Amino acid sequence: MATTLQKDYRERIVPALEREFNYSTVMQVPRLEKIVINQGIGAATQDKKLIETAINELTAITGQKAVATLSKKDISNFKLRKKMPVGVRVTLRRDHMYEFLERLVRVALPRIRDFKGIEGKLDGRGNYTLGITEQIIFPEINIDNINKLMGMNITFVTSARTDEEGYALLKQFGLPFKNEKK
């Protein structure tokens, strides 16, 4: 079952990018490979329930089971021990990825107060990371059950070779960038 964004990618975005960058074959057109959602929870060293709450929230938002990320080394100043849970992440691919992207662009981002668009700075390899300060912009989260506002990073990993190709792909998918890239 193809989502509307998947169909839109095949029917509208691929030909548009082919024309824009003069690709010789369809296989050269960049595609969205995965979306990684990551929540760092530093306060989890004191309160273990924060990790469980974050896993449940991220699972509700994405529709896929989130996993805890563990610390790699001991840091005594932060009361941190090796292999302690310090965050939560989920990697979305294929149908889950397109469903999440559609909900993010059409529902969640417009719910941000005073929203004027997102920054258009990519990482140099055609990938983009979007920082969100509150998880309550997603309709799956019940605001009455929130005991702590937590932000998250959403990373869009593309097969683009340059930032221009990645920016054009994400713009075609409907990400509301603030300013046009030069």
Side-chain angles (χ1 to χ4, degrees), residues 2 10 14 18 20-21 40 53 58 60 64 72 75 99 107-108 114 119 129 131 143 148 159 170-171 174 177-178:
R10 273 182 269 152
V14 169
E18 266 185 307
E20 186 177 341
F21 292 102
T53 306
L58 214 52
Q64 187 172 310
K72 292 184 177 166
I75 303 173
E99 284 172 25
V107 180
D114 300 330
E119 286 296 322
T129 300
I143 218 165
K148 187 172 192 302
S159 64
L170 295 172
K171 185 101 175 130
F177 289 107
K178 263 187 207 169

Side-chain angles (χ1 to χ4, degrees), residues 50-160:
L50 284 176
I51 292 290
E52 293 170 28
T53 306
I55 286 175
N56 293 336
E57 286 178 357
L58 214 52
T59 300
I61 289 170
T62 60
Q64 187 172 310
K65 182 83 170 121
V67 296
T69 53
L70 306 175
S71 64
K72 292 184 177 166
K73 57 185 175 181
D74 298 335
I75 303 173
S76 62
N77 290 350
F78 298 132
K79 296 185 174 80
L80 187 64
R81 297 281 161 252
K82 192 172 186 175
K83 296 198 176 163
M84 260 179 126
V86 291
V88 179
R89 75 153 189 260
V90 65
T91 302
L92 304 172
R93 297 175 198 272
R94 300 188 228 11
D95 290 343
H96 284 290
M97 173 182 70
Y98 285 109
E99 284 172 25
F100 175 77
L101 180 60
E102 194 162 0
R103 280 185 288 130
L104 178 72
V105 170
R106 300 214 170 117
V107 180
L109 288 178
R111 290 178 70 170
I112 298 176
R113 193 178 315 148
D114 300 330
F115 184 66
K116 292 178 178 67
I118 55 180
E119 286 296 322
K121 185 98 175 76
L122 280 76
D123 70 348
R125 294 187 192 95
N127 304 318
Y128 179 70
T129 300
L130 166 67
I132 291 180
T133 53
E134 300 174 335
Q135 79 273 33
I136 58 174
I137 64 166
F138 292 98
E140 295 86 0
I141 300 296
N142 185 352
I143 218 165
D144 300 329
N145 299 343
I146 299 296
N147 53 4
K148 187 172 192 302
L149 288 176
M150 294 186 282
M152 63 183 74
N153 288 330
I154 302 172
T155 303
F156 301 92
V157 180
T158 68
S159 64

Side-chain angles (χ1 to χ4, degrees), residues 15-39:
L17 290 175
E18 266 185 307
R19 282 190 302 275
E20 186 177 341
F21 292 102
N22 296 322
Y23 295 121
S24 55
T25 175
V26 180
M27 297 305 287
Q28 288 179 314
V29 177
R31 66 188 174 281
L32 195 56
E33 292 181 338
K34 63 184 175 182
I35 297 176
V36 181
I37 299 128
N38 180 40
Q39 259 185 336

Side-chain angles (χ1 to χ4, degrees), residues 155-177:
T155 303
F156 301 92
V157 180
T158 68
S159 64
R161 289 184 299 251
T162 64
D163 278 353
E164 290 75 31
E165 292 174 358
Y167 182 84
L169 174 69
L170 295 172
K171 185 101 175 130
Q172 289 285 337
F173 271 123
L175 281 176
F177 289 107

